[in-house]
Amino acid sequence: MTDTTMPQTTHDRLMLRLEVEEFLIEEAAILDEWRLDDWIALFTDDATYVVPSTDLAGGDPARDLTLIDDDRLRLEWRVKRLKSRHAHREYPWSRTRRLVTNVRVLRAEDDELDITASILVHRFRHGRQDHFVARYLMTLVRTEDGLRIRRRRAEIDQERLSPNGALSMIL
Amino acid sequence: MSSARPEVLVEDQKDDGTFRVHRSAFLSDEIHAAEMQRVFERSWLFIGHESELAEKGEYRRRKIAGRSIIFVRSDDGEIRAFHNTCPHRGAIVCRQDKGVAKAFQCFYHAWTFNSRGQLKGIPGKDGYDGGTFDAAERSLKPVARFESYRGFHFVSFQEDIQPLYDYLAGAREYLDLIVDQSPSGQLRVADGSHQYSIRANWKLLAENSIDGYHGMPTHQTYFEYVAEAGGLGGKGGKKLHGRGHSLGNGHACVEYWAPWGRPVARWVPIMGEEAKPAIEAAKAEIVERQGAEKADRICEWNRNMLIYPNLVINDIMSTTIRTFWPVSKDYMEIDAWAIAPVEEGEGEALQTRLHNFLEFLGPGGFATPDDVEALESCQIGFEAGGEQWNDVSRGMKREALVDDELQMRAFWRQWVAQIEGYEIDDWGDAPLPDELVTPDAERTWAIT
């Protein structure tokens, strides 16, 4: 049976993946450069940003304790906070470098794409190095302005946030 | 860097109003080793809540003061705790953090234990015939002491420690104020926990968890968010106010009124009009059951409590359980859970509670990352040298307010007594002359 949720030819599938990769690479660059206003502009008004607990990667923020469960309001505050001089864990900002790879498009229907990718984020500050290994699960939506993020979920692979301590930057 | 141990670790002059802690308490490998022996081997230590083990055979593998312990509901319904080591040759018999099991089997030589810890299977058992071998003596070893108070389970590795009920002392009243939020007296820990770390001495988090003084300077961005998002509702612009308390045996708390909302049971606009009836009904039920005065205390007031040495229960804009374990003098591992009355179920009320939790607490919250930064900053500062002492005397000459440091002094008095090997029966400050007793004043800094 034909999968109607994906492009039919290899060429079209590759082009779709490249389009998504280009978007994710651009998003990573924006975050590494701490261009937080540009970053929040990538989200739809009904967007969510979720990071589940390390001991419950499949956690549902409606009933389980997660690390982050942001709607648009909390997301905007997260950005506003990180831009202030009083987010002490990130003032001054840490240096980060994000590697985004293993991109897969899982579903492409109408104007929505479900995608997944592997990420490795290095964070450097106060002579210390922290690493976050995770996978993204995102729903992207096509708009007049290009791809936008409707759902962004980062599932951390580490068993504990140790020795990282906090998740003070955007994962 | 390790620091030599000084003659005096804690300088406590009750009459003078002097209270200083020598910074070697945070920097010395010798003191860290002494703590593992004298504090963590000789206290009651929280292992888990009964609701985590809902069914028979359900277990959690917990690390308690560096020891791997199995916390399990046995097939007879009883909750037990065992050292996670095979009595044969030592391998761990429980190799997952959580699950449900009829039996624990050691993978090394396949000895099998039931959920009561009894040895039930030995491959090639005839090899032991003729000797002194007794299977009953080769069962999983229970922890020396295992007791609970209203669903909160504790272990101790000291056989002759006082009963948990006595040990908890004044902390029991504050646990009651949380458990009594449930009409049935039953709480439930939500699935998912915060497991993180801080590159700092564990005692810094003991202090920080009951420190009302740091709130505004450290967490300004959180309070700005809550105010702007509609998370505050006051009685005519009333400000945060309250007191610090020593609860005996090193336990301590702050209890205070604050303008933020509480799932049980103080509605504020951010919760939404649709959530209002349920929150008001919860309060009405508590008024009915506990009387108006106690209901006001339960619903309107907040509590941050430390149960010595390393259990924090914060009953604030959400309710959290937190443990923290020293790994070395400058590194700790933290676990935190959200807990709620079972009656909240999985609906809107739980969602509000979890959002309140995440906005402030945890590694991704708007406040906890800055506590992590503060504690790591203290540890780096201690290593900078120069100053040898921390001053913890704030409020020593007045009836302690929420932003004084009586709570920390209570902790340190028990700590230094355990480290130095003596017993005390008073963890508070010196009695005050009448003219120094302060009114229950609103604090000068408002959070609106």
Side-chain angles (χ1 to χ4, degrees), chain B residues 346-412:
Chain B
E346 296 192 345
E348 191 71 33
L350 179 65
Q351 183 73 90
T352 298
R353 175 182 292 276
L354 292 174
H355 283 154
N356 282 3
F357 191 111
L358 294 181
E359 285 165 357
F360 190 105
L361 295 161
F366 292 165
T368 297
D370 296 326
D371 287 317
V372 173
E373 182 74 1
L375 273 46
E376 293 188 355
S377 180
C378 291
Q379 192 72 33
I380 293 168
F382 297 151
E383 288 170 2
E387 177 60 62
Q388 297 297 310
W389 296 89
N390 274 2
D391 188 302
V392 195
S393 68
R394 185 177 169 81
M396 217 165 159
K397 285 291 175 185
R398 64 181 179 189
E399 203 171 340
L401 297 173
V402 62
D403 54 352
D404 286 337
E405 293 170 342
L406 166 66
Q407 316 79 258
M408 284 146 253
R409 290 190 288 277
F411 168 84
W412 283 113

Side-chain angles (χ1 to χ4, degrees), chain A residues 53-55 61-63 65-66 69 74 77-78 81 88-89 125-126 130 159-163 165 167, chain B residues 191 193-197 199 218 221 225 331 333-335 346 351 355 358-359 363-364 366 370 373 376:
Chain A
S53 297
T54 51
D55 66 340
R63 62 162 200 271
L65 184 66
T66 57
D69 178 25
R74 271 189 292 274
W77 258 91
R78 189 172 295 281
R81 196 178 108 77
H88 308 292
R89 186 75 173 171
R125 194 163 176 275
H126 285 338
D130 289 320
E159 295 173 289
R160 305 178 57 93
L161 265 185
S162 303
L167 189 54
Chain B
D191 284 341
S193 64
H194 288 176
Q195 303 178 304
Y196 58 110
S197 61
R199 290 163 169 127
T218 305
T221 59
Y225 161 73
Y331 188 73
E333 298 271 11
I334 300 125
D335 294 279
E346 296 192 345
Q351 183 73 90
H355 283 154
L358 294 181
E359 285 165 357
F366 292 165
D370 296 326
E373 182 74 1
E376 293 188 355

Side-chain angles (χ1 to χ4, degrees), chain B residues 58-133:
Chain B
E58 189 157 12
Y59 65 86
R60 294 289 184 275
R61 179 176 64 173
R62 293 269 146 85
K63 207 168 220 185
I64 305 295
R67 299 170 180 270
S68 183
I69 305 291
I70 309 167
F71 177 55
V72 59
R73 188 181 290 274
S74 308
D75 56 8
D76 59 358
E78 288 290 308
I79 295 179
R80 294 184 169 87
F82 300 103
H83 293 268
N84 186 14
T85 177
C86 184
H88 175 214
R89 298 257 294 280
I92 58 171
V93 300
C94 175
R95 297 199 294 150
Q96 296 191 75
D97 287 333
K98 57 183 167 184
V100 179
K102 282 197 166 66
F104 296 103
Q105 185 176 58
C106 179
F107 75 95
Y108 194 13
H109 302 97
W111 283 26
T112 306
F113 307 86
N114 67 14
S115 59
R116 296 181 220 181
Q118 296 162 323
L119 177 57
K120 288 295 179 186
I122 306 174
K125 192 168 184 302
D126 57 352
Y128 296 98
D129 289 350
T132 58
F133 185 87

Side-chain angles (χ1 to χ4, degrees), chain B residues 138-159:
Chain B
R138 293 291 168 272
S139 292
L140 293 180
K141 291 288 171 289
V143 294
R145 294 283 295 276
F146 182 64
E147 293 178 15
S148 70
Y149 181 75
R150 302 200 72 179
F152 293 82
H153 287 260
F154 294 74
V155 303
S156 181
F157 303 120
Q158 184 187 345
E159 197 73 56

